[in-house]
Amino acid sequence: MIEPAASAPAVVGRAQLSPLRVLCTEITPFRQLQAQAEADLGFALEFEQHDFVTAQRIAATEPGRYDVYDQCFHNLDIVWHWRAIQPIDVSRIDAWNDVTDLTRTGSISAEARVGLGDAPVTRLFVQDDNSLSRVPSGRISMLPTVHNFDCFGVNELATGLDVDAEVSSWGELLDPRWHGRTAIVDEPAIGIFDLALAAQAKSGLRFANMGNMSVAEIDMLIDHATEMVRSGHFAPFWRTIDEARALFEDKRAVIASMWSPAVIALKSRSVRIRQAVPVEGYRAWHGGLCLARHLEGDRLDRAYAYLNWFLSGWPGAVMARQGYYMSVPSRVRDFLDPDEWDYWYEGRPAVRTLPDPSGHSAIRVGEVRSGGSYWTRAAHIAVWNTTMDEHNYLVRRWGELVDLARGGQGRVKRNGT
């Protein structure tokens, strides 16, 4: 494996400056990245980590609190609307030409579908009037970085299922055989699509455009989910990776919305969890880095240095070990052992036990990543995490659903209704 680049002498003198502040979510494993970034860049970094909703609120309303905003394209619109961030000049991004077509054009290949909802390309390029669109320009709103193609995880030992052979649809989340042991992620711009894909497959609900539901469609879906909450079908909703992991370890859930770091964490604890490959397609997401509006001079230079470092290859190798892809796979490959590259990106069987980002054994010999190679998975997107036009209304209805789930489970048991 190729070692990360040595510290650049030209920037070592910056070490005494105040840290570059990065506002992020738990998508970014900054504890595994920070020391190497500081060594390579020659200046200190300070990370502030929150859940999606909190990070977005801080980014939009307190832009002086951070220098770099590390979030997702589906959480970009509000921050851009409030002019909390500034455009990124692609001429200052060393790896821009190595970024895959998935981000820059909308699909990984000419044959692949783009997917409904907030595909990153739809808000990637900054136009002369400061609007965002897919029309190429020399400025972008967010530097594309980590991304993945999510679905749901199943505990194979607890369910007795061979997931690859027996599970093929999002509808499994609503199957009565998992009554009381199904968990959904508590984030409206994400969890709503897990429910929508499941309800469309299992219950016959239909949407004119799942990526941008009407008020009536939101009501239809939330009302359906509410009845399932009242019946006791769902285990507690989860918000963080640790909460998702705990639900499986405690066996309160055997099937759930699942993010890759939680899957890898469970595998490292010898839990036989397997992600499904739904025929309907994945729910995809794409992260990125933004520049705060106040940046200028040397501080702006340092922010660009961090953006370039993030696409240098080594950070992408760390991300790969928790199941995430980077927008510049050709650079990541140089920092992964060949057998790691074969498993994480090529979809080939692991020829040895492979580590998670902290070095713990996670992937067993012979195991194959569900869904196959990066390029196969990227061509199978149903919908992207999305902030819909009726997002504010969705948030209110989603809050009602989650509040009922938190308090309603006990009432269901006490009243027998």
Side-chain angles (χ1 to χ4, degrees):
M1 180 171 63
I2 298 174
E3 295 299 321
S7 300
V11 295
V12 171
R14 299 177 181 174
Q16 302 305 314
L17 299 173
S18 60
L20 188 75
R21 301 164 300 167
V22 182
L23 174 64
C24 65
T25 68
E26 62 180 346
I27 285 176
T28 304
F30 71 87
R31 294 171 185 84
Q32 286 80 25
L33 298 174
Q34 185 169 3
Q36 189 62 51
E38 291 176 340
D40 288 346
L41 294 168
F43 54 79
L45 295 165
E46 179 179 279
F47 290 86
E48 182 180 352
Q49 189 178 78
H50 296 282
D51 61 50
F52 283 85
V53 175
T54 303
Q56 184 187 46
R57 176 182 55 77
I58 293 171
T61 62
E62 303 179 66
R65 186 164 158 177
Y66 62 90
D67 301 311
V68 174
Y69 177 44
D70 185 339
Q71 249 274 28
C72 289
F73 275 88
H74 76 274
N75 280 329
L76 177 66
D77 287 356
I78 293 174
V79 180
W80 185 261
H81 174 77
W82 287 104
R83 295 295 184 261
I85 56 177
Q86 62 177 277
I88 297 168
D89 180 354
V90 296
S91 71
R92 300 188 65 175
I93 302 302
D94 299 338
W96 177 245
N97 290 332
D98 294 332
V99 172
T100 67
D101 285 345
L102 178 66
T103 306
R104 295 203 298 173
T105 70
S107 58
I108 200 67
S109 67
E111 298 76 27
R113 57 185 175 183
V114 174
L116 299 171
D118 286 348
V121 71
T122 62
R123 59 212 357 91
L124 177 61
F125 295 103
V126 181
Q127 305 304 310
D128 290 341
D129 62 358
N130 276 328
S131 64
L132 303 181
S133 80
R134 64 190 306 147
V135 179
S137 73
R139 300 185 301 163
I140 56 174
S141 57
M142 175 180 273
L143 181 69
T145 58
V146 295
H147 53 284
N148 208 357
F149 317 108
D150 290 343
C151 52
F152 56 93
V154 181
N155 185 327
E156 289 192 307
L157 288 182
T159 61
L161 290 177
D162 178 337
V163 172
D164 291 341
E166 301 179 68
V167 178
S168 61
S169 172
W170 282 96
E172 200 74 34
L173 288 172
L174 303 185
D175 195 293
R177 60 180 167 170
W178 314 127
H179 183 85
R181 297 186 293 168
T182 301
I184 302 294
V185 57
D186 176 15
E187 215 291 14
I190 302 175
I192 191 69
F193 297 109
D194 289 1
L195 286 175
L197 287 161
Q200 182 170 269
K202 188 72 175 179
S203 305
L205 272 63
R206 292 291 179 264
F207 307 90
N209 179 359
M210 186 185 292
N212 196 18
M213 299 179 201
S214 66
V215 167
E217 289 171 332
I218 292 170
D219 283 339
M220 172 183 68
L221 180 57
I222 296 296
D223 289 349
H224 182 67
T226 296
E227 291 306 310
M228 300 207 72
V229 167
R230 287 175 174 157
S231 76
H233 179 80
F234 292 116
F237 283 55
W238 61 268
R239 178 164 284 189
T240 68
I241 290 169
D242 283 343
E243 290 174 354
R245 175 186 54 76
L247 283 170
F248 272 74
E249 286 189 316
D250 299 343
K251 298 183 179 178
R252 286 175 289 163
V254 297
I255 179 172
S257 306
M258 190 61 61
W259 297 346
S260 187
V263 172
I264 304 307
L266 288 165
K267 286 178 180 291
S268 70
R269 292 165 169 79
S270 300
V271 176
R272 290 288 297 276
I273 185 170
R274 184 74 170 163
Q275 286 182 291
V277 183
V279 294
E280 299 88 3
Y282 294 106
R283 174 183 46 73
W285 61 269
H286 208 306
L289 301 175
C290 300
L291 299 174
R293 71 183 182 195
H294 65 81
L295 293 176
E296 59 183 5
D298 182 74
R299 202 162 192 85
L300 178 60
D301 292 342
R302 284 192 285 149
Y304 269 107
Y306 178 71
L307 267 58
N308 280 309
W309 177 84
F310 212 89
L311 293 189
S312 64
W314 187 84
V318 175
M319 295 290 189
R321 296 182 187 111
Q322 68 176 24
Y324 288 165
Y325 301 111
M326 190 66 83
S327 60
V328 286
S330 60
R331 296 198 175 208
V332 174
R333 185 172 191 169
D334 290 338
F335 291 89
L336 288 171
D337 286 341
D339 44 9
E340 289 183 299
W341 171 264
D342 284 349
Y343 175 82
W344 292 114
Y345 274 85
E346 297 288 354
R348 295 172 181 155
V351 298
R352 65 175 174 90
T353 301
L354 300 179
D356 67 10
S358 298
H360 303 127
S361 297
I363 306 302
R364 296 174 291 114
V365 174
E367 190 171 349
V368 178
R369 185 167 189 174
S370 63
S373 75
Y374 168 64
W375 297 270
T376 300
R377 300 177 91 233
H380 194 48
I381 297 169
V383 63
W384 292 86
N385 291 354
T386 297
T387 298
M388 298 184 287
D389 290 345
E390 297 294 345
H391 180 71
N392 290 339
Y393 183 73
L394 168 62
V395 169
R396 291 197 296 273
R397 290 301 322 265
W398 185 266
E400 294 169 6
L401 177 69
V402 173
D403 285 345
L404 178 64
R406 287 173 180 158
Q409 299 295 335
R411 288 196 294 272
V412 167
K413 292 179 180 178
R414 285 198 299 272
N415 298 334
T417 60

